[in-house]
Amino acid sequence: MGWVANPWTGVAAAIWIQWSCGASYTFSIYSSVLKSTQGYDQSTLDTVSVFKDIGANFGVLSGLLYSAVVPYTHRSALPGSPSKSKWTSLIGPWVVVAAGAVQCFAGFIFIWASVVGLISPPPVPVMCFFAWLAANGQTFLNTTNVVTGLRNFPEYSGTIIGIMKGFLGLSGAILIQIYHTFFDGDPAAYLLMLALLPSFICVLLMFLLRIYEVHGSDYKKHLDSFSVVTVIIVAYLMFIIILQNFVSLPCWGRIFSFVILVVLLASPFGIALKVHWEETRKFTQSYTIERVSSTNKGTMSSSYSASADQVEYHELPSDEGQVQVTSDDELPQEEDKSLLQAMCTLNFWMLFVIMISGLGSGLATINNMSQIGQSLGYSTIEINNLVSLWSMWNFLGRFGGGHVSDYIMHRKGWPRPLLMTTTLGIMVLGHLTIACGFRGNLYLGPVLVGICYGAHWSLMPTITSEIFGVKHMGTIFNTIAAASPLGSYILSVKVVGYIYDKQADEDNLCFGIRCFMSSFFILAGVAFLTFLVGLVLYFRTQRFYKQVVLRRLKHYAR
């Protein structure tokens, strides 16, 4: 059973669930057919999109369910052993995954039935509800994978969350490759696939997601192995997307390239099997040596030998301003705040504001990518590729944000909010680039916005767990994340959509720089104000990170 149920197959299973559940990032693929078949104008389409964003980001219910079925326990002394809770063994994270799969299936089946005419076009509020339902299933899957990963690998939380969030961001590009391979020019059939494929993957893999206590010198090395495979997948997808810009691949070429992609996506399971085999062999050797040693001494040891399994960390800087820790110091205890306790702090509301304006402006960008491209004269192929490339930049931000934040924490001792504030400043430049409207601007501006937007989705849950504790992290983070669709509604519907409709002709179409220039100047101004809020948060938490978070890391390093 250990070959199937272990921490590393759990990581591989989570990766597959993550890349399959990001349908909300491909809204531009089916937004045109939704708009035409339902008779929507741009503001109505943006309203449906906002409810989709609310569903994809309002994960409070998923956090509450996860806390109920996966009780928080302190780390066990046995490396790699499952949690001893019988309740967790019988219920566990799979319940949350199953709930998400049901929502995803029900939501997309209804939208597909409406688009193909199986049912008459529903009222806009009903369509908004099912768009919310389909996207809300993503929060159940994402919450399970992120919080389970954080509990299993707490010392390098940035790295594991970067991998999980990265594949969620990458899912848009992978799903679009499936669209080009099997459903090119048929977004209605693509909607049916969105209902079936993620649900099937979840049912197949959900029992592999469990809580383990992972220790060992190869801990970070194995996580890095998953990271290397991730980078290879990104490089391959980049190559395919760029190739599609210049060459129209025949059917056999698209199928061949997709088969290669599937092989690359399957490689995490190969890594998991290899790691488990190495750990089993190491355990066997260690146990044999210990038994021989115990026999020679006439005593039988009752503890698991971990002589070669000390967790490996980089030495933290020990400048005069940093808290010094003696060998007698105990591990700093986390104060696990409940949701209500967290909401009584200023730090919570500062993170909430950053979500509203910082990530809300990013959602407004991706939701209108198709219309921006049309107004500036980009071809349909270019627009689809731009959506895919957005997924690349989104992934690089999520993946890189986790790794870079771990690096600056372990090597430099810099708090994670510093990196988050930096990305907010770069996002301002991205919005200004899009506003200028020069030819090729969508190959530059969305790169900056996408990377910074993605980085926030890795940094936010990690910062939340460090400031408020791990116990209720799923609920607290998902409450903060609910601010993102609120910002999307204000900025996408009331700013971008409103200005576009004012400029549009009687066919609800607009062409030229004027369609989006003023709205993206407004987004740039909002992002700048958010940058100032991030600076305040950095200075407020700087002392806390030195006295608590960095001290905890130094304890682990010892």
Side-chain angles (χ1 to χ4, degrees):
M1 188 65 180
W3 287 95
V4 177
N6 62 71
W8 308 109
T9 54
V11 172
I15 285 174
W16 267 67
I17 293 174
Q18 289 292 91
W19 74 250
S20 68
C21 72
S24 61
Y25 298 112
T26 66
F27 182 75
S28 294
I29 295 297
Y30 59 88
S31 61
S32 296
V33 69
L34 186 64
K35 182 178 181 180
S36 61
T37 58
Q38 309 302 303
Y40 295 156
D41 60 17
Q42 186 62 35
S43 292
T44 304
L45 183 66
D46 280 342
T47 300
V48 175
S49 176
V50 165
F51 274 89
K52 176 262 301 179
D53 292 334
I54 292 173
N57 294 279
F58 187 75
V60 177
L61 295 178
S62 65
L64 292 173
L65 180 60
Y66 189 94
S67 297
V69 301
V70 191
Y72 179 72
T73 55
H74 292 287
R75 304 184 70 188
S76 171
L78 292 177
S81 62
S83 174
K84 297 301 182 182
S85 170
K86 184 178 181 180
W87 170 258
T88 301
S89 300
L90 295 176
I91 307 297
W94 70 267
V95 174
V96 190
V97 174
V102 170
Q103 287 182 261
C104 179
F105 176 79
F108 278 115
I109 277 291
F110 180 88
I111 297 173
W112 168 77
S114 177
V115 166
V116 300
L118 287 181
I119 60 175
S120 58
V124 173
V126 176
M127 181 61 75
C128 289
F129 169 76
F130 280 95
W132 171 87
L133 185 68
N136 192 243
Q138 173 184 311
T139 68
F140 284 75
L141 308 179
N142 184 50
T143 296
T144 302
N145 294 326
V146 168
V147 181
T148 301
L150 191 147
R151 290 192 183 184
N152 285 340
F153 307 97
E155 289 87 349
Y156 281 92
S157 56
T159 299
I160 188 62
I161 290 179
I163 293 172
M164 294 295 106
K165 288 289 188 178
F167 269 98
L168 180 61
L170 190 62
S171 63
I174 296 173
L175 292 173
I176 287 174
Q177 289 305 309
I178 298 176
Y179 169 74
H180 285 316
T181 303
F182 301 105
F183 312 106
D184 204 13
D186 190 2
Y190 175 70
L191 279 169
L192 180 60
M193 186 275 293
L194 292 179
L196 298 177
L197 180 64
S199 302
F200 173 76
I201 291 176
C202 289
V203 171
L204 186 65
L205 301 176
M206 61 187 182
F207 293 106
L208 298 180
L209 298 176
R210 303 182 183 183
I211 302 298
Y212 298 88
E213 310 298 345
V214 185
H215 306 265
S217 59
D218 292 336
Y219 176 159
K220 183 63 166 59
K221 184 184 77 172
H222 297 324
L223 288 180
D224 287 341
S225 297
F226 287 101
S227 299
V228 169
V229 169
T230 304
V231 172
I232 293 173
I233 293 173
V234 172
Y236 176 73
L237 283 171
M238 276 283 261
F239 169 75
I240 292 299
I241 291 171
I242 294 173
L243 182 64
Q244 289 170 346
N245 257 328
F246 296 97
V247 179
S248 180
L249 294 177
C251 180
W252 68 265
R254 293 195 299 267
I255 294 175
F256 179 74
S257 64
F258 179 73
V259 169
I260 295 176
L261 177 60
V262 171
V263 171
L264 291 175
L265 289 172
S267 58
F269 284 101
I271 293 174
L273 292 174
K274 179 176 179 293
V275 171
H276 182 71
W277 179 78
E278 291 177 353
E279 291 186 340
T280 301
R281 185 181 61 175
K282 183 184 297 185
F283 174 82
T284 303
Q285 292 174 348
S286 177
Y287 180 73
T288 302
I289 294 172
E290 186 171 281
R291 286 203 63 179
V292 171
S293 176
S294 299
T295 301
N296 291 339
K297 294 178 180 179
T299 60
M300 181 63 71
S301 173
S302 62
S303 63
Y304 174 82
S305 175
S307 59
D309 284 312
Q310 297 300 316
V311 179
E312 183 181 16
Y313 284 95
H314 298 297
E315 185 67 25
L316 291 172
S318 55
D319 52 285
E320 292 182 359
Q322 189 168 342
V323 176
Q324 300 297 317
V325 185
T326 67
S327 59
D328 295 328
D329 283 342
E330 296 181 355
L331 175 66
Q333 295 297 313
E334 284 186 0
E335 182 184 353
D336 290 304
K337 290 184 172 63
S338 67
L339 175 60
L340 292 179
Q341 290 173 329
M343 292 179 70
C344 293
T345 66
L346 181 59
N347 290 339
F348 175 92
W349 294 107
M350 295 182 78
L351 291 172
F352 194 85
V353 169
I354 291 172
M355 271 284 186
I356 287 180
S357 41
L359 278 79
S361 65
L363 282 174
T365 301
I366 184 58
N367 286 341
N368 292 278
M369 187 72 74
S370 179
Q371 286 70 35
I372 296 171
Q374 289 175 359
S375 68
L376 296 177
Y378 288 78
S379 68
T380 302
I381 294 177
E382 285 181 307
I383 292 171
N384 288 340
N385 288 335
L386 284 169
V387 174
S388 294
L389 286 172
W390 168 275
S391 295
M392 297 290 103
W393 315 135
N394 188 10
F395 164 81
L396 290 176
R398 293 168 183 252
F399 179 77
H403 280 266
V404 172
S405 66
D406 269 349
Y407 174 83
I408 66 174
M409 284 280 290
H410 286 260
R411 286 288 183 92
K412 304 294 183 180
W414 296 344
R416 292 186 211 271
L418 177 62
L419 180 60
M420 183 174 65
T421 303
T422 303
T423 59
L424 287 168
I426 297 174
M427 187 176 282
V428 176
L429 300 178
H431 289 312
L432 291 175
T433 301
I434 297 174
C436 291
F438 57 85
R439 184 62 186 173
N441 69 323
L442 295 187
Y443 288 100
L444 177 60
V447 174
L448 301 177
V449 177
I451 290 175
C452 297
Y453 172 85
H456 287 176
W457 284 112
S458 287
L459 294 170
M460 275 289 185
T462 313
I463 292 171
T464 300
S465 68
E466 289 168 345
I467 294 178
F468 302 116
V470 177
K471 185 175 182 179
H472 301 288
M473 173 262 179
T475 306
I476 296 172
F477 167 69
N478 281 310
T479 304
I480 295 173
S484 179
L486 175 61
S488 173
Y489 177 77
I490 296 171
L491 298 175
S492 185
V493 176
K494 297 302 182 181
V495 177
V496 179
Y498 175 78
I499 294 175
Y500 181 93
D501 286 338
K502 294 286 285 186
Q503 300 288 344
D505 55 25
E506 61 274 8
D507 296 323
N508 292 321
L509 296 175
C510 180
F511 298 96
I513 299 176
R514 61 188 176 87
C515 304
F516 290 97
M517 181 176 66
S518 57
S519 58
F520 271 86
F521 276 127
I522 294 173
L523 295 187
V526 170
F528 178 74
L529 293 177
T530 311
F531 165 76
L532 298 180
V533 174
L535 274 180
V536 175
L537 179 66
Y538 162 67
F539 287 115
R540 277 182 54 84
T541 58
Q542 190 176 22
R543 179 178 176 84
F544 168 78
Y545 267 84
K546 284 186 176 182
Q547 291 184 340
V548 178
V549 180
L550 294 177
R551 184 179 173 187
R552 188 185 307 134
L553 291 179
K554 292 198 76 171
H555 176 92
Y556 288 145
R558 213 178 289 112

